[in-house]
Amino acid sequence: IGPGTRPSSHKSYTDITDLFKKAASELTTTNPLLYYCNDDYQDKTTEILSGDNDYPSNIHPTFDIQDSMSALELMDPIMDCCEIPASHYQFPLESESDVPVPLASSSNGATNNDTIKIDANIKSKPAVAPRLPPISLSEPLQLPWESLTLRHARIICLETMTRLESMMSGCGVAESTYTCLYAHDGVLADMERQLFMDDYDDIQNINGNHTDNQKSFSENDTIDAPRWAVYASVLMLVKLCQKVRQIVQSADIYEEEDYTPNAHSFQFFPSNTEKKLFYTLEKVINILSALCQDDDSSVLIMMLKFELDLYHSCSLLLSLTKDNVLKKAHNTKSLVQSGLPNIEKLIEVVTQHNDEIFIDEDKLVKFQTFDPYVNHRLMGNAPVRKVQFNSPIESLQILKNSFAQLDWAVCDLLIKGSTLGRIKRMLNHISTNSVNILSRSLIIINLFFDDLLLGQYNLGNLISDHMYVCGVPKSLASSEYVMEYMNQLGKPMYDTLKILVLNRNRQRAFIDVVMIGQWQDLQKNATAIDVIFHEENNLNQQNTSAFLTNYILSIVLWIMDHYVALGIELGLFYGHFDLSTAYWYRDFLLTTQLSILTSLNRQKVERKILEAKIAQQEEERNLAKSKAENRGKKKGRRGNRLGNLSKGDDSKRSLLKLSEEDSEFDLEFILLGMQRNLCRGIIRSIALLNQANILKAPNYTFSTHRIRFEKRFEIFHCVDKIPLLTYDDFLKGSDYTKVSQKELYESTVDCFKTSKTALENVMAQLLNFEPIYCPIRKKEALEIIQVCVRNSLFLHSFSILNFDSKESDNSPKVDFSYKVHKGFCSIMMT
């Protein structure tokens, strides 16, 4: 039944309730699926369905396991079964029984607002067929055109922004962009012909030299301003969607929840080139600027300017080369920063007049030009997720944030990502802030191109410099055999950057499938290189660190810790027992990482002290030589000798002074210790609750704690030199039965107190660092401090209650909340 049409009078409906109940009553636990049989075996159906007998060949399942799964999907309220409720086409104009039809247009352009009267039975119909997609402004139904006003144009253009935001948030173009009926190619072509009219042939051959043409427009163009605005906005919607789709598909890191690539054969109006697009946009902006500056025209201008800025920014970042990367990154940054005030002003104006968009006339215009169900024929019969469009204000705010991300997430990385450590810290901040798929795709596209990282740096040189910062001797980090080793190390190191750009929910799978196995051979080769380095330099292997091996192990440990931390963040460790295993394993990984980095850093400091002593001795020899040469000369020359001594001291101090990147690395080291103490505090808090019989280990029917533990951490078996911990290790390491409750309580309180103090010291130092290079931002530091305070308050409440095993029946409920911070829980008793 189409919208506004009557059902055929000869059709009737049959009540199948009794039939359904009878069929359901024949289902059993042993045979839970419906079956169909011939009449000859009808008398055996009940016997077959109630027993364990084999089914004869002429009895066939009519409802198999696939149907069962489909039924579960159909019953899920978030699923869209491609059915259109009849209520969607009902619009309360005169009475509740009126069903509106898109405005029909007469030959003179006048519109007919009549509605078709239908009988009350239409309301009982569960679904209707979707309207046919338009092929022009007047076929199959007339779209609003001649009667458009600036008010209507504003409503339509604001609604196109919700479609753009929906597409960038993961919906397919058939469910977002092309639910705007003006966006279909035939309609756009019809609009273009009617608007350009005599200039239609000229518009087809624009060569880019159109500065004078775009500023000149006739009086008719001013009269047609609403139609120009609608055409330009919809055209920009289609072309922006095409540009975003090109970027996302080129990067190829999207997941199902990030983006839907299926275009369902939509062509994105290919006859309109980029030059024609800019010509049209600039002409329309000039036409609207010539009108009286009312709210409607101002809103339309601001929307078109924002869309144009977004399109230009994407185009610039998609065309980088090693010769122009910095220039275009700076240009894009300037473009975004100059465009943000425009969209902020747009949001402010739309918010102030938000109450005006709820009148019936505005709703009718929206109904006639947007249909979320128009492309349902392309979806097939499979259930799909329902698309929920945000309000224009919410969509504008999301688009503003996505636009700003091009500045701080993409451009800042290209401009300021000068070392491997800094690039990794910047990407980690991007990963934890749920950056839009558009910005993440642009980062991946520009992360490595023209055989250079960010199009600017040799990856091998950056790795070598990072080794030196982490404590590997420069003579080893820049040696010939390490440079050859870079050929093997380059791809795995690139993956440690790439993983931080992936969807947060999919990073664990990338570690499991792609990353963890790459490092097994790397560890063996690093050990061989260390042996060669020790032999060439006559170093005692027992007293000298295995520099390269430890560097590789520190990266492997970071990958392993990131894997476990993601599991906690994503809620894969459910319940106090599973959480205790996760935080216990993190404690081990962080402790091992701290031990390795401490060893590397200690020897790095010793080398710097040795280099400073050598420099001082060299200065003293030069000073003695200078004294001998100047003996017998005037006393006034002594001032110069004192000056030389001062220079020697400065040289010594410069060798011992930390560089900016050394300071950033030391800050990371402090944060590793803080995270370890926080993990220990949570583990011991759970142990306290276990001692008081407030918490008990759960029992499983189909699994055991040992099997669950082994399955969770089995991917670490391929890592050499880092032992794979077993369930027995966990039981031994988390056993506090021999520790008194008071001692355990005091050590737990100390863990949270130490973590809070460390973070407060870090926050005091953050002022000395550029924020984008910091391993932790102020906001996250405050969140973790809040977790420490909440857990300290929990421990205080626990000490007051002083539960024992006899009171276990009246024990309070314990909640592990991740509302404050995703990685560390706040423990609360209710």
Side-chain angles (χ1 to χ4, degrees):
I1 301 173
T5 60
R6 296 175 181 270
S8 301
S9 59
H10 66 276
K11 291 185 178 179
S12 60
Y13 292 89
T14 302
D15 189 347
I16 62 169
T17 304
D18 293 337
L19 178 62
F20 180 81
K21 288 181 178 180
K22 180 181 178 182
S25 66
E26 296 175 348
L27 300 180
T28 66
T29 305
T30 307
N31 298 296
L33 301 180
L34 293 177
Y35 283 80
Y36 165 79
C37 67
N38 296 335
D39 293 337
D40 295 339
Y41 286 86
Q42 187 64 43
D43 57 335
K44 296 184 180 180
T45 303
T46 303
E47 177 186 351
I48 292 172
L49 290 177
S50 60
D52 297 329
N53 301 316
D54 294 334
Y55 297 111
S57 59
N58 63 332
I59 295 184
H60 308 286
T62 60
F63 193 82
D64 56 19
I65 187 63
Q66 286 79 13
D67 296 324
S68 178
M69 296 302 295
S70 297
L72 291 175
E73 291 182 335
L74 293 173
M75 291 185 290
D76 193 328
I78 70 169
M79 302 304 289
D80 184 347
C81 305
C82 302
E83 294 182 341
I84 305 174
S87 60
H88 172 74
Y89 292 102
Q90 294 176 356
F91 192 83
L93 294 178
E94 299 178 8
S95 67
E96 293 184 357
S97 63
D98 293 341
V99 177
V101 189
L103 295 181
S105 178
S106 60
S107 58
N108 60 5
T111 58
N112 176 15
N113 290 330
D114 293 338
T115 57
I116 297 177
K117 300 284 184 176
I118 60 175
D119 59 74
N121 290 333
I122 187 66
K123 294 182 180 180
S124 65
K125 303 300 185 278
V128 295
R131 70 174 85 177
L132 294 173
I135 57 175
S136 69
L137 284 168
S138 58
E139 295 181 26
L141 294 172
Q142 176 68 36
L143 295 173
W145 185 244
E146 297 296 338
S147 61
L148 284 176
T149 64
L150 281 176
R151 169 81 189 164
H152 295 155
R154 171 179 169 172
I155 298 297
I156 294 170
C157 294
L158 279 173
E159 198 64 26
T160 62
M161 302 300 275
T162 67
R163 271 46 182 183
L164 175 62
E165 177 269 320
S166 177
M167 186 276 304
M168 292 177 61
S169 298
C171 296
V173 292
E175 304 164 286
S176 55
T177 307
Y178 285 96
T179 60
C180 173
L181 302 182
Y182 289 116
H184 294 255
D185 288 358
V187 180
L188 282 172
D190 196 6
M191 295 163 74
E192 183 180 84
R193 280 192 297 270
Q194 293 194 34
L195 287 172
F196 286 99
M197 298 180 71
D198 297 336
D199 299 332
Y200 184 72
D201 292 335
D202 295 334
I203 193 67
Q204 305 303 316
N205 300 305
I206 289 178
N207 57 11
N209 300 320
H210 52 270
T211 303
D212 295 334
N213 292 334
Q214 67 192 15
K215 294 181 179 178
S216 62
F217 49 86
S218 64
E219 183 177 350
N220 288 334
D221 289 333
T222 306
I223 297 173
D224 290 338
R227 289 173 283 285
W228 277 109
V230 170
Y231 170 68
S233 178
V234 175
L235 178 63
M236 202 70 221
L237 167 68
V238 171
K239 291 302 180 181
L240 265 174
C241 291
Q242 183 183 28
K243 179 66 70 175
V244 171
R245 184 170 182 268
Q246 177 188 358
I247 292 170
V248 173
Q249 287 192 309
S250 297
D252 196 23
I253 60 167
Y254 59 87
E255 299 292 344
E256 180 184 0
E257 60 268 33
D258 292 323
Y259 191 77
T260 304
N262 193 344
H264 293 285
S265 301
F266 288 111
Q267 299 298 315
F268 301 98
F269 199 33
S271 62
N272 192 285
T273 63
E274 196 170 77
K275 292 179 180 179
K276 290 164 63 177
L277 174 68
F278 296 152
Y279 174 92
T280 303
L281 263 290
E282 292 169 7
K283 178 173 182 176
V284 174
I285 290 173
N286 289 326
I287 291 173
L288 293 171
S289 299
L291 301 175
C292 296
Q293 290 298 315
D294 59 1
D295 287 338
D296 291 332
S297 60
S298 298
V299 167
L300 291 169
I301 291 172
M302 287 186 284
M303 276 191 289
L304 293 176
K305 284 184 176 180
F306 164 71
E307 290 175 317
L308 196 58
D309 288 343
L310 179 59
Y311 189 92
H312 278 306
S313 300
C314 293
S315 297
L316 284 170
L317 293 173
L318 193 58
S319 59
L320 301 182
T321 66
K322 64 180 181 181
D323 299 322
N324 63 21
V325 55
L326 285 177
K327 179 181 178 181
K328 287 195 173 184
H330 280 291
N331 290 343
T332 305
K333 188 177 183 67
S334 300
L335 184 61
V336 174
Q337 290 180 345
S338 62
L340 282 174
N342 173 65
I343 190 171
E344 289 171 353
K345 178 66 174 177
L346 173 61
I347 294 172
E348 179 184 349
V349 173
V350 174
T351 303
Q352 289 174 353
H353 298 82
N354 189 37
D355 56 330
E356 298 179 12
I357 67 173
F358 295 107
I359 62 177
D360 284 350
E361 182 183 358
D362 295 344
K363 291 182 178 179
L364 183 58
V365 169
K366 177 183 172 181
F367 170 82
Q368 293 164 342
T369 54
F370 293 89
D371 187 350
Y373 304 107
V374 69
N375 298 311
H376 259 41
R377 291 180 176 86
L378 303 175
M379 302 294 131
N381 294 324
V384 295
R385 289 177 298 177
K386 287 182 181 179
V387 178
Q388 299 292 340
F389 295 109
N390 291 316
S391 68
I393 296 175
E394 292 172 329
S395 293
L396 286 172
Q397 189 63 51
I398 295 172
L399 288 172
K400 172 200 161 186
N401 294 337
S402 299
F403 188 47
Q405 288 167 5
L406 297 178
D407 174 18
W408 65 263
V410 184
C411 295
D412 278 355
L413 179 67
L414 293 169
I415 296 170
K416 299 182 178 181
S418 54
T419 68
L420 195 61
R422 288 178 170 179
I423 292 171
K424 190 173 182 179
R425 286 190 287 273
M426 294 170 75
L427 290 177
N428 187 63
H429 179 63
I430 290 169
S431 177
T432 56
N433 278 270
S434 302
V435 172
N436 186 273
I437 184 62
L438 172 63
S439 294
R440 290 193 286 117
S441 295
L442 286 168
I443 290 172
I444 282 293
I445 290 172
N446 297 312
L447 188 58
F448 192 88
F449 64 95
D450 290 349
D451 295 327
L452 298 171
L453 194 68
L454 302 178
Q456 304 169 67
Y457 308 105
N458 182 282
L459 181 57
N461 293 340
L462 286 187
I463 296 174
S464 177
D465 293 341
H466 188 251
M467 288 180 179
Y468 178 69
V469 171
C470 292
V472 179
K474 183 168 287 188
S475 57
L476 174 60
S478 58
S479 63
E480 181 179 351
Y481 33 82
V482 168
M483 288 303 170
E484 293 179 359
Y485 181 64
M486 294 299 179
N487 295 328
Q488 183 183 4
L489 184 60
K491 175 60 167 59
M493 287 296 289
Y494 168 79
D495 285 339
T496 63
L497 303 178
K498 178 181 178 180
I499 187 178
L500 296 173
V501 192
L502 301 180
N503 184 308
R504 194 81 174 168
N505 300 327
R506 307 296 177 144
Q507 292 180 15
R508 276 172 58 94
F510 188 78
I511 291 174
D512 188 1
V513 176
V514 178
M515 292 186 65
I516 199 71
Q518 296 176 336
W519 294 87
Q520 190 170 10
D521 292 337
L522 287 171
Q523 294 175 73
K524 295 178 182 178
N525 293 343
T527 302
I529 292 174
D530 279 326
V531 171
I532 296 173
F533 179 75
H534 290 161
E535 291 176 352
E536 288 184 352
N537 294 274
N538 298 318
L539 299 175
N540 188 337
Q541 295 188 18
Q542 295 181 349
N543 300 328
T544 308
S545 174
F547 298 108
L548 190 58
T549 301
N550 283 344
Y551 173 77
I552 296 298
L553 285 178
S554 68
I555 298 172
V556 175
L557 284 164
W558 174 85
I559 295 171
M560 295 169 69
D561 179 63
H562 188 63
Y563 180 86
V564 180
L566 282 171
I568 297 172
E569 178 184 323
L570 300 175
L572 301 181
F573 294 92
Y574 180 77
H576 71 277
F577 191 86
D578 285 349
L579 286 175
S580 63
T581 63
Y583 284 115
W584 177 82
Y585 216 114
R586 282 206 72 190
D587 180 13
F588 163 74
L589 295 173
L590 291 168
T591 300
T592 308
Q593 194 172 358
L594 282 167
S595 176
I596 289 174
L597 293 177
T598 299
S599 174
L600 287 171
N601 194 51
R602 183 180 65 250
Q603 297 199 19
K604 177 183 177 182
V605 173
E606 291 174 355
R607 286 197 305 274
K608 283 196 171 185
I609 293 174
L610 180 61
E611 290 171 357
K613 288 181 179 179
I614 295 173
Q616 184 180 13
Q617 293 172 359
E618 184 67 24
E619 288 293 334
E620 289 175 352
R621 285 194 296 269
N622 292 337
L623 181 60
K625 182 178 179 181
S626 177
K627 285 181 179 180
E629 291 176 352
N630 294 329
R631 188 171 297 159
K633 294 186 178 181
K634 294 182 180 181
K635 295 181 180 180
R637 302 296 294 255
R638 291 179 183 175
N640 293 334
R641 291 198 297 273
L642 293 174
N644 291 336
L645 180 60
S646 175
K647 291 178 181 178
D649 292 340
D650 291 340
S651 176
K652 179 180 177 182
R653 283 193 292 269
S654 65
L655 284 170
L656 294 176
K657 184 178 179 181
L658 293 176
S659 66
E660 290 184 2
E661 194 170 6
D662 286 333
S663 300
E664 294 161 7
F665 177 79
D666 289 347
L667 200 62
E668 274 188 320
F669 188 84
I670 295 172
L671 291 172
L672 285 177
M674 179 275 298
Q675 293 179 48
R676 180 186 64 178
N677 286 330
L678 204 48
C679 289
R680 289 180 177 178
I682 294 173
I683 296 168
R684 292 173 186 180
S685 296
I686 295 174
L688 271 173
L689 294 168
N690 288 329
Q691 277 192 355
N693 288 329
I694 297 175
L695 294 178
K696 295 181 179 179
N699 295 318
Y700 302 110
T701 304
F702 300 105
S703 184
T704 64
H705 293 300
R706 182 180 298 275
I707 293 175
R708 289 165 64 87
F709 185 94
E710 291 172 352
K711 288 295 182 181
R712 289 186 186 281
F713 306 111
E714 66 180 354
I715 73 162
F716 299 151
H717 75 278
C718 64
V719 179
D720 292 335
K721 300 191 179 296
I722 301 176
L724 177 65
L725 302 184
T726 64
Y727 182 67
D728 292 330
D729 296 326
F730 166 71
L731 292 178
K732 184 178 179 180
S734 60
D735 183 9
Y736 293 95
T737 54
K738 296 181 180 180
V739 181
S740 68
Q741 191 176 83
K742 182 179 179 181
E743 291 176 338
L744 184 57
Y745 170 81
E746 291 175 351
S747 66
T748 307
V749 171
D750 185 64
C751 286
F752 292 122
K753 183 178 179 180
T754 304
S755 299
K756 179 175 176 291
T757 303
L759 276 170
E760 289 172 344
N761 293 333
V762 167
M763 287 186 65
Q765 298 180 45
L766 290 181
L767 298 175
N768 303 324
F769 296 91
E770 193 167 351
I772 61 172
Y773 297 147
C774 292
I776 190 171
R777 304 296 172 96
K778 183 178 179 180
K779 179 182 176 182
E780 184 181 3
L782 289 173
E783 290 173 351
I784 300 179
I785 287 176
Q786 189 176 350
V787 169
C788 295
V789 172
R790 288 188 173 208
N791 288 339
S792 297
L793 291 174
F794 150 74
L795 291 171
H796 179 68
S797 301
F798 175 84
S799 66
I800 294 174
L801 294 174
N802 192 22
F803 283 96
D804 58 29
S805 58
K806 295 180 181 179
E807 299 172 326
S808 60
D809 293 338
N810 298 320
S811 297
K813 293 182 178 179
V814 179
D815 180 42
F816 298 87
S817 172
Y818 288 89
K819 293 181 180 179
V820 178
H821 190 270
K822 295 179 180 179
F824 297 102
C825 59
S826 302
I827 307 174
M828 297 176 290
M829 289 194 302
T830 56

Coordinates of all heavy atoms in Angstrom, one line a residue, residues 293-328:
Q293 N 20.2 41.5 5.2 CA 20.8 40.5 6.1 C 19.9 40.1 7.2 O 19.9 40.6 8.4 CB 22.1 41.1 6.7 CG 23.2 41.2 5.7 CD 23.7 39.9 5.2 OE1 23.9 38.9 5.9 NE2 23.9 39.8 3.9
D294 N 18.9 39.3 6.9 CA 18.0 38.7 7.9 C 18.6 37.4 8.4 O 19.6 36.9 7.9 CB 16.6 38.5 7.4 CG 16.6 37.6 6.2 OD1 17.6 37.1 5.8 OD2 15.5 37.4 5.7
D295 N 18.0 36.8 9.4 CA 18.5 35.6 10.0 C 18.6 34.4 9.0 O 19.5 33.7 9.0 CB 17.7 35.2 11.2 CG 17.9 36.1 12.4 OD1 18.9 36.8 12.5 OD2 17.0 36.2 13.3
D296 N 17.5 34.3 8.2 CA 17.5 33.2 7.2 C 18.7 33.2 6.3 O 19.4 32.2 6.1 CB 16.2 33.2 6.5 CG 15.0 32.9 7.4 OD1 15.2 32.2 8.4 OD2 13.9 33.3 7.1
S297 N 18.9 34.4 5.6 CA 20.0 34.5 4.7 C 21.4 34.3 5.4 O 22.3 33.7 4.8 CB 19.9 35.8 3.9 OG 20.0 36.9 4.8
S298 N 21.5 34.9 6.6 CA 22.8 34.7 7.3 C 23.0 33.3 7.7 O 24.2 32.8 7.6 CB 22.7 35.6 8.6 OG 22.5 36.9 8.4
V299 N 22.0 32.6 8.1 CA 22.2 31.1 8.4 C 22.6 30.4 7.2 O 23.5 29.5 7.2 CB 20.9 30.6 9.0 CG1 21.0 29.0 9.1 CG2 20.7 31.1 10.4
L300 N 22.0 30.7 6.0 CA 22.3 30.0 4.8 C 23.7 30.2 4.4 O 24.5 29.3 4.0 CB 21.3 30.4 3.7 CG 19.9 29.9 3.9 CD1 19.0 30.6 2.9 CD2 19.8 28.4 3.7
I301 N 24.2 31.5 4.5 CA 25.6 31.9 4.1 C 26.6 31.1 5.0 O 27.6 30.6 4.6 CB 25.8 33.4 4.2 CG1 25.0 34.1 3.1 CG2 27.2 33.7 4.1 CD1 24.9 35.6 3.2
M302 N 26.3 31.1 6.3 CA 27.2 30.5 7.3 C 27.3 29.0 7.0 O 28.4 28.4 7.1 CB 26.8 30.8 8.7 CG 27.1 32.2 9.1 SD 26.8 32.5 10.9 CE 25.0 32.6 10.9
M303 N 26.2 28.3 6.7 CA 26.2 26.9 6.4 C 27.0 26.6 5.1 O 27.8 25.7 5.1 CB 24.8 26.4 6.2 CG 24.1 26.0 7.5 SD 22.6 25.1 7.3 CE 21.5 26.4 6.7
L304 N 26.8 27.4 4.1 CA 27.5 27.2 2.8 C 29.0 27.4 3.0 O 29.8 26.7 2.5 CB 26.9 28.1 1.7 CG 25.5 27.7 1.3 CD1 25.0 28.8 0.3 CD2 25.4 26.3 0.7
K305 N 29.4 28.4 3.8 CA 30.8 28.7 4.0 C 31.4 27.6 4.8 O 32.6 27.2 4.5 CB 31.0 30.0 4.8 CG 30.7 31.2 3.9 CD 31.0 32.5 4.7 CE 30.9 33.8 3.8 NZ 31.2 35.0 4.5
F306 N 30.7 27.0 5.8 CA 31.3 25.9 6.6 C 31.5 24.7 5.7 O 32.5 24.0 5.7 CB 30.3 25.6 7.7 CG 30.6 24.2 8.3 CD1 31.8 24.0 9.1 CD2 29.8 23.1 8.1 CE1 32.0 22.7 9.6 CE2 30.0 21.9 8.6 CZ 31.2 21.7 9.4
E307 N 30.5 24.4 4.8 CA 30.6 23.2 4.0 C 31.8 23.4 3.0 O 32.5 22.5 2.7 CB 29.3 23.0 3.2 CG 28.2 22.5 4.1 CD 26.9 22.4 3.3 OE1 26.5 23.3 2.6 OE2 26.2 21.4 3.5
L308 N 31.9 24.6 2.5 CA 33.1 24.9 1.6 C 34.4 24.8 2.3 O 35.4 24.2 1.7 CB 32.9 26.3 1.0 CG 33.7 26.7 -0.2 CD1 33.4 25.7 -1.4 CD2 33.4 28.1 -0.7
D309 N 34.5 25.3 3.5 CA 35.8 25.2 4.3 C 36.1 23.7 4.6 O 37.2 23.3 4.5 CB 35.6 25.9 5.6 CG 35.7 27.4 5.4 OD1 36.1 27.9 4.4 OD2 35.2 28.1 6.4
L310 N 35.1 22.9 4.9 CA 35.3 21.5 5.2 C 35.8 20.8 3.9 O 36.7 19.9 3.9 CB 34.0 20.8 5.7 CG 34.0 19.3 6.0 CD1 35.1 19.0 7.0 CD2 32.7 18.9 6.5
Y311 N 35.2 21.1 2.8 CA 35.6 20.5 1.5 C 37.0 20.8 1.1 O 37.8 20.0 0.8 CB 34.6 20.9 0.4 CG 34.8 20.1 -0.9 CD1 34.0 19.0 -1.2 CD2 35.7 20.5 -1.9 CE1 34.2 18.3 -2.3 CE2 35.9 19.8 -3.0 CZ 35.1 18.7 -3.3 OH 35.3 18.0 -4.4
H312 N 37.3 22.1 1.3 CA 38.7 22.6 1.0 C 39.7 21.9 1.9 O 40.8 21.5 1.4 CB 38.8 24.1 1.1 CG 38.3 24.8 -0.1 ND1 38.8 24.6 -1.4 CD2 37.4 25.8 -0.2 CE1 38.2 25.4 -2.3 NE2 37.3 26.2 -1.6
S313 N 39.4 21.8 3.2 CA 40.3 21.2 4.1 C 40.6 19.7 3.8 O 41.7 19.3 3.8 CB 39.7 21.3 5.5 OG 39.5 22.6 5.9
C314 N 39.5 19.0 3.4 CA 39.7 17.6 3.1 C 40.5 17.5 1.8 O 41.4 16.6 1.7 CB 38.3 16.9 2.9 SG 37.4 16.7 4.4
S315 N 40.3 18.3 0.8 CA 41.0 18.3 -0.4 C 42.5 18.6 -0.2 O 43.4 17.9 -0.8 CB 40.4 19.3 -1.4 OG 39.1 19.0 -1.7
L316 N 42.8 19.5 0.6 CA 44.2 19.9 0.9 C 44.9 18.7 1.5 O 46.1 18.3 1.1 CB 44.3 21.1 1.8 CG 44.0 22.5 1.1 CD1 43.9 23.6 2.2 CD2 45.1 22.8 0.1
L317 N 44.3 18.1 2.5 CA 45.0 17.0 3.3 C 45.0 15.7 2.5 O 45.8 14.8 2.9 CB 44.2 16.8 4.6 CG 44.3 17.9 5.6 CD1 43.4 17.7 6.8 CD2 45.8 18.1 6.1
L318 N 44.3 15.7 1.4 CA 44.3 14.5 0.6 C 45.3 14.6 -0.5 O 45.6 13.6 -1.3 CB 42.9 14.2 0.0 CG 42.6 12.9 -0.7 CD1 42.8 11.7 0.3 CD2 41.2 12.8 -1.2
S319 N 46.0 15.7 -0.7 CA 46.9 15.9 -1.8 C 48.3 16.3 -1.4 O 49.0 17.1 -2.0 CB 46.3 17.0 -2.7 OG 46.2 18.2 -2.0
L320 N 48.7 15.8 -0.2 CA 50.0 16.1 0.3 C 51.1 15.3 -0.4 O 51.0 14.2 -0.8 CB 50.1 15.8 1.8 CG 49.1 16.5 2.7 CD1 49.4 16.1 4.2 CD2 49.2 18.0 2.5
T321 N 52.3 16.0 -0.6 CA 53.5 15.3 -1.1 C 54.6 15.8 -0.1 O 54.4 16.7 0.7 CB 53.8 15.8 -2.5 OG1 54.2 17.2 -2.5 CG2 52.7 15.5 -3.4
K322 N 55.8 15.1 -0.2 CA 56.9 15.5 0.7 C 57.4 16.9 0.4 O 58.0 17.5 1.3 CB 58.0 14.5 0.5 CG 58.6 14.5 -0.9 CD 59.8 13.5 -1.0 CE 60.4 13.5 -2.4 NZ 61.5 12.5 -2.6
D323 N 57.1 17.5 -0.7 CA 57.5 18.8 -1.0 C 56.6 19.9 -0.5 O 57.0 21.0 -0.2 CB 57.7 19.0 -2.5 CG 58.7 18.1 -3.1 OD1 59.7 17.8 -2.5 OD2 58.4 17.6 -4.2
N324 N 55.3 19.5 -0.3 CA 54.3 20.6 0.2 C 53.6 20.3 1.5 O 52.7 20.9 1.8 CB 53.3 20.8 -0.9 CG 52.4 19.6 -1.2 OD1 52.3 18.7 -0.4 ND2 51.8 19.6 -2.4
V325 N 54.1 19.2 2.2 CA 53.3 18.7 3.3 C 53.2 19.8 4.4 O 52.1 20.0 4.9 CB 53.9 17.4 3.9 CG1 55.4 17.6 4.2 CG2 53.2 16.9 5.1
L326 N 54.2 20.5 4.7 CA 54.2 21.5 5.8 C 53.4 22.7 5.3 O 52.6 23.3 6.1 CB 55.6 21.9 6.2 CG 56.3 20.9 7.1 CD1 57.7 21.4 7.4 CD2 55.6 20.6 8.4
K327 N 53.5 23.1 4.1 CA 52.8 24.3 3.6 C 51.3 24.0 3.6 O 50.5 24.9 4.1 CB 53.3 24.6 2.2 CG 52.6 25.8 1.6 CD 53.1 26.1 0.1 CE 52.3 27.2 -0.5 NZ 52.7 27.5 -1.9
K328 N 50.9 22.9 3.1 CA 49.5 22.6 3.0 C 48.9 22.3 4.4 O 47.7 22.6 4.7 CB 49.2 21.4 2.1 CG 49.4 21.7 0.6 CD 48.8 20.7 -0.3 CE 48.8 21.1 -1.7 NZ 48.1 20.1 -2.6

